[in-house]
Amino acid sequence: MNLSTNSNIALSPKALRDGQNRLRASLESLKGRLLSPEALLQGQQRVLELVARNASLKETLSEIARLAEEAFPDMSASILYFDPVAQVLRAGGYGRLPNSFAEAVEGMVPGPNMGSCGTCAFTREPIISVDVFEDPLWIDFVGLCKDYGIRSAWSTPLIDGRDGSLLGVFGMYYPTIWSSERAVDISFAQDFHQLATIAAERHRDEERSRYLATHDAYTGLGNRNLLIEQGEALVNRAVSTGSPLTLAFIDLDRFKPVRQQFGHAQTDVIFAQIATRMRERLNCAELLIRFDGDEFVAFLPLAMPDAKALMVELAKDMAIGFEMAELNLQITFSCGLSTYDHDTSDLDMILIMADEATRVAKQLGGDMIVIADQTLAARAKSRRSIRKMLEVALETDAIQPFYQPIMNLTTGRAKGFEALMRITDEKLKTVPIQDLIAVAEETGQIHRIGLKMFEAACKTVADPSDPLKGLSVNVNISVAQLLKVGTTQQILDSLARFGADPARLCLELTESQWLDGDGAGRRALMELHDAGLKLALDDFGTGYASLNYLRSLPFDIIKVDQSFVKLIGQDRQADALCETVLALGKACGLDVVAEGVETPEQLKALTDMGFELGQGYLWSKAMPVDMASKWLTESIQ
Ligand code: C2E
Ligand code: MG
Ligand code: MG
């Protein structure tokens, strides 16, 4: 124990112990006089109840302070807690001392000569200041002591019993010079000290789990939860005060190959370095978030030109490169900037605009900063309203499959159907399905939509009335959905739940993003294929699909994109492409479907080429299941 004093009244640890022992005997009677054991017990219960119902730390510590003051009528308690992030003491619980005292000590940095509490937090040892007017520890705080009638003080640290870290400081202030009789206080105060430790430990645990829930483990940057928690308030504050605020959406360019080359562990090291560079350059940011994988969002308290200049500096910092496995990795980013105005003053919209601007930067080749303008704002607004309508559609079952027949060109009969997403909601009906899908892919709604569509198809094929007469149903699945952890299992679960025969279902892979032919996507496709589902590669000729895809992934069907079929018989290159894909498919043992057949001329050209399967308005548009069933019955007759 540190006994800080300039005078000779210092108590040695031994003297203190002896004093405690001597006085312990009379403690019971003393307790009786000052605070009855029943009252103490009741007080303790009150405090523990506060802890149990997660009352604020200040409220709990103030209850403890008041309870301690009941026990020691001339003493004023001050309980401070230590903020490990800012490394300062925060005003905690007070009884007699007024708010102004709490404000005066708020944010105190632990250190030598910081009064008894600040010094105690620094040394982590109890401290008694016998006379604060004479004690060098208090030299800078004599005025404060005079203001609040403090003459002597006793401070003891609150230590986390589990890891020895500092939780706070329990301080007792007296209006008179410390006398040795007060040693009994120290012993008696253990009860309150212990309560304060419990409350502070609980608070620290909550802070820790809150931190983990709101921060990214690898970079220490905030995560989406923190953005949701704090972003709106930052925007509202800027809007109401008219202060500048620019959102920077930062998306690393072509990062996927880096991840593939280095693997996850090393990539995390790169991310940590990137985050450090961002944190240093964007140190004025009010919020810096790792938004999603290789996307970051910074809330900059700057007007647009300054924000742009800062991002240019960040681009220069990044251009230095990153050392990894004896390589100097060059990483660039695309950045979208947006701010609020009278039309756009909510976080959601500002974020969507920044994202939209980033998308433009990417489309222009990356390594670029784009400022969101009115056109982008309009586009962003339309996306947002689509997103909201989709949300409603998902909740209200307004999303349903319509079935379009896939024809056997030789027999002229349907071979199967493709389930296409249709919306029964009047407003959304006007939006092209492809636009809906694009928004759903961005927002992640595609997972729920995809599952809904698959479940509906399962229900149709398992329906005992067999509306589609034993024919198969193709369901579209986007790469984004396929790559999501858990999708494969959900699909298999749906098959089992509805009792649908997997051989009657085919998944058409729509390629909105690149599918890694060796990684998780391949594993998912393999698993689904092994479960008996057929797989089709949709819109062949337009996406990223390469011959390698056909070699390494277990497709059964290729669907030639309608843009080629449309030109058949009119464009030699389109003819050549259709012929080549057909030959390729046949050589690989795959079925080849021509999509978008509208005219008898196209049909003739296709059959002349040797196509055996086709789909298009020539036969029928997509129909609700009952109509499809009727169509099928009529077409067989
Ligand atoms: P897709 O899978 O290639 O589907 C064929 C699209 O071509 C459908 O458009 C269909 O209505 C249209 N189509 C069929 N025959 C003809 C024709 O003769 N002429 C013309 N001009 N068009 C024809 P739709 O329903 O608007 O769907 C567009 C795309 O949206 C689909 O292309 C597919 O990529 C995607 N999609 C539709 N439903 C879903 C779904 O449930 N999940 C996912 N992930 N994507 C879906
Ligand atoms: Mg399709
Ligand atoms: Mg297609």
Side-chain angles (χ1 to χ4, degrees):
M1 176 181 277
N2 265 356
L3 289 180
S4 157
T5 171
N6 64 322
S7 66
N8 299 328
I9 326 169
L11 277 167
S12 73
K14 183 172 179 315
L16 187 63
R17 256 197 320 276
D18 291 348
Q20 282 176 353
N21 288 339
R22 258 185 287 117
L23 289 166
R24 194 160 285 139
S26 59
L27 196 57
E28 278 311 305
S29 61
L30 193 64
K31 272 186 190 174
R33 259 193 300 130
L34 299 173
L35 182 70
S36 70
E38 295 74 33
L40 176 66
L41 201 64
Q42 276 173 10
Q44 281 176 333
Q45 266 168 4
R46 266 199 319 276
V47 170
L48 292 175
E49 268 167 33
L50 288 175
V51 172
R53 71 168 163 84
N54 275 342
S56 77
L57 183 63
K58 282 191 179 185
E59 190 187 340
T60 312
L61 294 182
S62 293
E63 185 64 34
I64 299 169
R66 281 192 293 272
L67 190 63
E69 288 174 357
E70 272 183 58
F72 307 107
D74 66 340
M75 180 276 286
S76 301
S78 161
I79 313 176
L80 298 163
Y81 70 92
F82 181 62
D83 175 345
V85 179
Q87 294 281 307
V88 295
L89 290 165
R90 302 268 179 219
Y94 297 90
R96 295 192 181 99
L97 287 165
N99 273 347
S100 53
F101 181 87
E103 281 161 18
V105 295
E106 167 67 29
M108 181 192 272
V109 181
N113 305 325
M114 292 300 283
S116 53
C117 283
T119 312
C120 166
F122 182 64
T123 61
R124 303 190 180 192
E125 294 281 346
I127 289 181
I128 292 172
S129 286
V130 172
D131 181 353
V132 297
F133 292 174
E134 303 293 330
D135 190 333
L137 296 189
W138 284 87
I139 197 142
D140 292 332
F141 303 96
V142 173
L144 184 84
C145 292
K146 286 189 174 151
D147 287 348
Y148 295 96
I150 297 169
R151 193 62 195 266
S152 60
W154 167 72
S155 302
T156 188
L158 305 175
I159 299 291
D160 191 327
R162 300 159 304 181
D163 60 7
S165 64
L166 180 73
L167 293 166
V169 180
F170 191 103
M172 294 169 81
Y173 300 131
Y174 299 92
T176 54
I177 290 175
W178 176 274
S179 73
S180 55
E181 286 103 72
R182 292 212 188 275
V184 69
D185 291 12
I186 294 176
S187 171
F188 191 31
Q190 291 308 322
D191 286 326
F192 310 110
H193 178 262
Q194 212 168 27
L195 283 175
T197 305
I198 292 170
E201 271 179 0
R202 175 70 174 261
H203 179 74
R204 177 69 53 87
D205 286 349
E206 266 160 28
E207 290 281 280
R208 257 188 215 134
S209 45
R210 211 189 76 81
Y211 181 87
L212 290 177
T214 52
H215 287 79
D216 169 50
Y218 299 105
T219 59
L221 300 180
N223 62 18
R224 269 176 190 240
N225 292 341
L226 193 69
L227 180 100
I228 292 164
E229 206 178 283
Q230 298 185 0
E232 205 152 274
L234 285 173
V235 171
N236 290 346
R237 200 184 63 201
V239 172
S240 64
T241 59
S243 44
L245 179 70
T246 299
L247 248 72
F249 200 103
I250 303 161
D251 189 347
L252 305 182
D253 295 324
R254 294 169 282 276
F255 201 76
K256 204 165 232 163
V258 175
R259 197 186 287 281
Q260 273 157 7
Q261 185 180 352
F262 291 100
H264 282 283
Q266 280 189 320
T267 309
D268 286 335
V269 176
I270 302 172
F271 271 124
Q273 291 179 35
I274 292 173
T276 304
R277 241 172 255 187
M278 281 189 187
R279 216 183 263 119
E280 279 167 9
R281 177 57 66 185
L282 309 180
N283 61 355
C284 68
E286 289 177 305
L287 204 53
L288 189 52
I289 300 287
R290 183 170 178 192
F291 191 70
D292 199 10
D294 46 8
E295 293 171 353
F296 302 82
V297 177
F299 284 60
L300 305 170
L302 303 171
M304 190 57 85
D306 297 335
K308 184 170 182 193
L310 188 67
M311 298 314 293
V312 170
E313 292 305 312
L314 179 66
K316 284 186 200 157
D317 294 345
M318 300 277 277
I320 297 166
F322 296 86
E323 302 298 326
M324 179 52 63
E326 294 179 359
L327 287 173
N328 184 269
L329 263 183
Q330 290 298 312
I331 295 172
T332 59
F333 62 83
S334 302
C335 174
L337 296 173
S338 70
T339 185
Y340 66 90
D341 58 28
H342 46 275
D343 277 344
T344 313
S345 57
D346 63 298
L347 170 66
D348 205 24
M349 199 61 215
I350 303 173
L351 200 57
I352 291 178
M353 279 170 59
D355 183 23
E356 196 72 45
T358 311
R359 196 186 309 274
V360 174
K362 272 230 139 74
Q363 281 162 1
L364 293 172
D367 197 8
M368 196 167 285
I369 299 166
V370 171
I371 297 172
D373 60 10
Q374 287 310 313
T375 324
L376 285 185
R379 224 197 296 172
K381 276 185 187 143
S382 130
R383 271 179 205 277
R384 181 163 78 161
S385 74
I386 291 178
R387 193 191 72 195
K388 287 194 171 154
M389 288 192 283
L390 270 179
E391 199 54 46
V392 175
L394 272 165
E395 295 302 324
T396 56
D397 274 343
I399 293 176
Q400 279 168 22
F402 273 31
Y403 295 89
Q404 184 182 32
I406 298 169
M407 305 301 293
N408 181 327
L409 306 186
T410 319
T411 63
R413 292 199 165 177
K415 168 146 197 284
F417 287 86
E418 176 172 6
L420 291 160
M421 171 181 149
R422 291 293 177 268
I423 307 272
T424 52
D425 178 279
E426 285 305 318
K427 271 195 220 145
L428 268 183
K429 259 185 185 169
T430 55
V431 184
I433 294 291
Q434 231 134 9
D435 293 358
L436 292 183
I437 298 286
V439 173
E441 283 183 347
E442 279 161 36
T443 58
Q445 288 164 315
I446 192 68
H447 305 296
R448 284 158 68 202
I449 293 177
L451 193 63
K452 235 177 203 310
M453 290 289 294
F454 188 74
E455 284 178 346
C458 285
K459 210 168 149 194
T460 301
V461 298
D463 185 336
S465 71
D466 198 14
L468 301 184
K469 321 271 180 265
L471 298 184
S472 58
V473 173
N474 293 12
V475 183
N476 292 283
I477 181 170
S478 79
V479 173
Q481 191 192 346
L482 181 77
L483 292 179
K484 188 175 181 217
V485 178
T487 295
T488 313
Q489 197 52 48
Q490 278 174 335
I491 291 175
L492 300 179
D493 288 349
S494 303
L495 281 172
R497 196 164 63 253
F498 289 94
D501 176 6
R504 279 188 67 192
L505 286 153
C506 170
L507 292 173
E508 288 194 9
L509 195 74
T510 60
E511 260 200 306
S512 54
Q513 70 186 73
W514 187 64
L515 174 71
D516 171 10
D518 299 318
R522 180 172 189 270
R523 278 195 298 280
L525 285 178
M526 286 294 188
E527 204 174 325
L528 294 167
H529 200 245
D530 288 348
L533 288 158
K534 293 225 161 40
L535 299 174
L537 184 53
D538 207 352
D539 307 335
F540 192 78
T542 59
Y544 303 81
S546 65
L547 293 181
N548 201 29
Y549 256 41
L550 294 182
R551 187 189 58 77
S552 63
L553 300 172
F555 287 109
D556 306 286
I557 300 161
I558 323 176
K559 298 187 79 175
V560 182
D561 190 66
Q562 52 178 276
S563 55
F564 303 110
V565 175
K566 192 178 274 172
L567 297 174
I568 211 163
Q570 302 167 31
D571 179 293
R572 281 190 38 212
Q573 273 174 337
D575 287 355
L577 199 124
C578 288
E579 273 167 345
T580 310
V581 174
L582 181 65
L584 181 73
K586 283 191 170 163
C588 296
L590 309 177
D591 283 344
V592 183
V593 180
E595 293 190 285
V597 186
E598 291 185 355
T599 65
E601 293 75 29
Q602 287 167 347
L603 174 62
K604 175 152 189 336
L606 287 165
T607 40
D608 287 351
M609 271 181 200
F611 271 87
E612 289 167 13
L613 295 165
Q615 178 182 350
Y617 296 164
L618 180 62
W619 296 280
S620 173
K621 287 194 168 183
M623 309 163 268
V625 66
D626 47 348
M627 273 178 69
S629 185
K630 201 159 154 256
W631 178 91
L632 196 55
T633 313
E634 286 166 5
S635 74
I636 296 168
Q637 285 160 3

